[in-house]
Amino acid sequence: MGARHKHTMDFIADRDVYRAVMFSRKMISDGLRPELAHARAAKYYGVSISEVAKHVGQHAARLKAIRDGRRTR
């Protein structure tokens, strides 16, 4: 990924939300269903499932756009 595609998620100011998002992404990459990964990560870090799902979904959508050649910045 070049400098043009540096970030695939918006900045997450809340450290617990960030940790939950990264934990969820890791569980998904290990094969766990996304909805289960989001719920487990949110419960573990005490944050909202929808907040975790929003950021993980944003990351996935931007990666897909990059892969499909639609994202330029």
Side-chain angles (χ1 to χ4, degrees):
M1 203 184 281
R4 297 178 80 177
H5 304 118
K6 189 174 179 182
H7 303 288
T8 58
M9 289 187 306
D10 290 341
F11 178 76
I12 303 171
D14 186 319
R15 293 177 73 153
D16 288 330
V17 172
Y18 177 79
R19 289 176 178 151
V21 167
M22 299 310 287
F23 185 36
S24 182
R25 286 177 49 189
K26 172 70 171 117
M27 287 188 286
I28 292 167
S29 73
D30 289 343
L32 192 63
R33 291 190 340 255
E35 60 275 8
L36 194 52
H38 301 334
R40 285 185 185 174
K43 182 176 181 181
Y44 186 82
Y45 286 100
V47 298
S48 162
I49 294 171
S50 63
E51 194 71 16
V52 174
K54 176 181 88 170
H55 289 290
V56 175
Q58 179 183 69
H59 169 75
R62 288 184 179 172
L63 283 182
K64 183 176 182 341
I66 291 166
R67 186 186 67 228
D68 294 348
R70 292 179 289 148
R71 182 163 166 136
T72 59
R73 68 173 206 100

